[in-house]
Amino acid sequence: MAATASAACVLTAAGLTASPAAAAPATTAAAGDAPEAGQSCTTADLGTRHPYIKTSEVSPTITHFKGWYVTEGTTGTHTVNTTTQTTISVSVGLNGNVEGSFAIETLGKVGASLGLNVQVTYTSTSSVSDSITWNFGQPGYYGLYKGTKKVTGTYGSLNCNRVQQGDGSYALKWVKGPDTGSYTTYTTLEEGAVRCEDKVPANSIMAKAQTLLDCGSATAKHAAGPVPSAKATAARHAAESAAKATKSAKSAPATAPTIRAALTCGTDAYKIAVPGKSLSWGAPLLAADSVRLRPSTIFSAHLDNWRLCNVTEHDGVLEASLWNWGNGGCATVAEQNAANEGAALMTAPCAEDDLQRFYIYRDVSGSGKIGVQNKYTGYMIGHDRYADGESLRQYSSGRQDGTGTYDLVKV
């Protein structure tokens, strides 16, 4: 897009996004429809969760930049190839692909709370074209840039759980659960050209670009065309180093879990059943298989029996390992699938590992209905359909049709 350069900017078509509400799937509640902490919920909500935004930070960020000198006789329209300055990609929690309704709802809430149009699906500024076409109206030293507002922060999850009332009775309410994570996204990209002498709004994208200009050289004689900027080069190297450090930390092998000498388990054994129906969680005999819905019979060999182990409670929410009586393993999500929507629930040798720890959200006293959430991934446990042999899986927001609510039945 061509324009006259004098402290001006335009929005790039590549950076345009739909509004958060429009971009979210129909099954995801718009920001204004989502529950708030303290509101009532139902037993069908025990296996679901919704995000709330804990912190947000908005910072102008330059993604592409080039210093450019225009002399008398060289004004007019030029197409300039810029250098990538900073790469930003969208992520929520463990998942850099923004997979699942919870991530989309989280980013929708971010945009609504800040009044900004933010990216609500996975995208990266590395895919943005690096050329800028600009109409220079007068000679001078310019910084051509593409930039955005980088939005980062933390979120928590609202879960349905029983809450004790003043009279000692219990009611189901949306509560702030233990799960938390971080997000990164960005707003619509803008491009422009700015000079050292231009007066620009403080803390703006344009002001950020202006800091990359070596303004001390602005009065020197230059040939028309690109001008190296030491400030921009140093900032780019710093951004690259930070990105490499982050990538290295994410790709480093995870510390092997410490094997427990023994679990401290309750004496009671339970079936984790589909309410009002005959199928319940059945552990596999083969390590490569998943936990599945199975009928309980005399041939179940205790594979349908579970104990709650190393149980703690915080603000009414239980945390426990789920030990299977039949195969001696603990329920878990495989590490390589931890960030995946629909990853199957497995069993593995019991260890000090948050992938084997689960939050349990309970119905009011007298009811055994529960919702189950993996501590490490934050995803809720549910199933796609009610059928013998159907795998139990993790879903980022849970199963909104209520099929993620189970019945903890004492054997």
Side-chain angles (χ1 to χ4, degrees):
M1 182 179 290
T4 299
S6 178
C9 69
V10 295
L11 301 180
T12 64
L16 296 177
T17 63
S19 66
T27 54
T28 301
D33 299 330
E36 301 290 337
Q39 291 181 343
S40 297
C41 54
T42 69
T43 53
D45 296 316
L46 286 169
T48 67
R49 67 168 180 160
H50 292 277
Y52 70 94
I53 305 307
K54 299 175 72 173
T55 64
S56 294
E57 181 178 347
V58 181
S59 56
T61 302
I62 302 303
T63 60
H64 302 76
F65 183 85
K66 177 69 75 175
W68 197 261
Y69 199 77
V70 179
T71 62
E72 291 288 353
T74 64
T75 57
T77 301
H78 295 265
T79 296
V80 178
N81 288 323
T82 61
T83 300
T84 299
Q85 194 72 24
T86 306
T87 297
I88 300 170
S89 58
V90 178
S91 64
V92 178
L94 300 174
N95 203 326
N97 294 321
V98 190
E99 181 181 321
S101 57
F102 184 84
I104 295 172
E105 187 179 355
T106 299
L107 295 175
K109 277 186 164 290
V110 170
S113 65
L114 297 174
L116 296 173
N117 247 354
V118 300
Q119 299 285 350
V120 296
T121 56
Y122 175 76
T123 185
S124 170
T125 58
S126 65
S127 61
V128 175
S129 168
D130 64 356
S131 65
I132 297 176
T133 299
W134 205 258
N135 185 10
F136 297 92
Q138 55 187 309
Y141 177 42
Y142 293 88
L144 283 92
Y145 67 89
K146 292 184 181 181
T148 183
K149 292 178 180 177
K150 181 180 180 181
V151 185
T152 58
T154 58
Y155 65 83
S157 68
L158 294 177
N159 294 78
C160 184
N161 194 50
R162 71 183 190 187
V163 175
Q164 191 166 24
Q165 308 296 290
D167 61 0
S169 64
Y170 286 89
L172 285 178
K173 304 281 186 183
W174 289 105
V175 300
K176 293 182 177 180
D179 177 47
T180 188
S182 61
Y183 62 85
T184 299
T185 185
Y186 57 93
T187 62
T188 301
L189 285 162
E190 64 178 54
E191 65 180 36
V194 63
R195 302 174 301 169
C196 294
E197 62 269 31
D198 290 332
K199 301 298 182 184
V200 299
N203 203 37
S204 64
I205 296 170
M206 191 179 295
K208 186 72 173 180
Q210 197 176 51
T211 65
L212 300 181
L213 285 169
D214 289 325
C215 290
S217 64
T219 58
K221 293 295 182 180
H222 290 279
V227 180
S229 170
K231 289 183 178 179
T233 300
R236 184 176 73 251
H237 289 165
E240 290 172 350
S241 296
K244 287 179 181 177
T246 300
K247 184 177 180 180
S248 177
K250 287 183 177 181
S251 61
T255 303
T258 303
I259 303 300
R260 286 192 179 103
L263 291 172
T264 302
C265 299
T267 56
D268 293 330
Y270 298 92
K271 292 179 183 177
I272 306 176
V274 178
K277 298 185 178 181
S278 61
L279 302 181
S280 62
W281 291 22
L285 282 173
L286 302 176
D289 198 3
S290 62
V291 178
R292 298 177 182 272
L293 293 179
R294 296 293 193 192
S296 294
T297 70
I298 58 173
F299 305 107
S300 295
H302 294 300
L303 291 169
D304 58 345
N305 291 171
W306 302 83
R307 284 197 169 100
L308 306 186
C309 306
N310 289 22
V311 180
T312 61
E313 182 174 351
H314 182 70
D315 290 339
V317 178
L318 294 183
E319 179 186 326
S321 297
L322 304 178
W323 176 81
N324 186 263
W325 188 354
N327 74 5
C330 282
T332 189
V333 177
E335 182 181 350
Q336 65 268 26
N337 299 325
N340 295 347
E341 184 84 7
L345 187 67
M346 314 288 284
T347 59
C350 298
E352 291 283 359
D353 187 346
D354 282 347
L355 281 165
Q356 297 186 7
R357 299 289 287 172
F358 294 85
Y359 299 125
I360 298 175
Y361 301 93
R362 294 173 288 175
D363 199 359
V364 297
S365 296
S367 168
K369 293 183 174 60
I370 60 170
V372 183
Q373 180 183 28
N374 186 270
K375 180 178 181 179
Y376 183 77
T377 68
Y379 288 20
M380 309 297 295
I381 305 302
H383 57 273
D384 273 336
R385 63 192 179 97
Y386 179 77
D388 185 358
E390 181 69 16
S391 291
L392 278 299
R393 302 182 183 276
Q394 64 169 10
Y395 301 91
S396 60
S397 294
R399 302 294 292 171
Q400 300 299 314
D401 59 2
T403 53
T405 295
Y406 297 98
D407 213 345
L408 196 65
V409 182
K410 186 177 176 181
V411 175

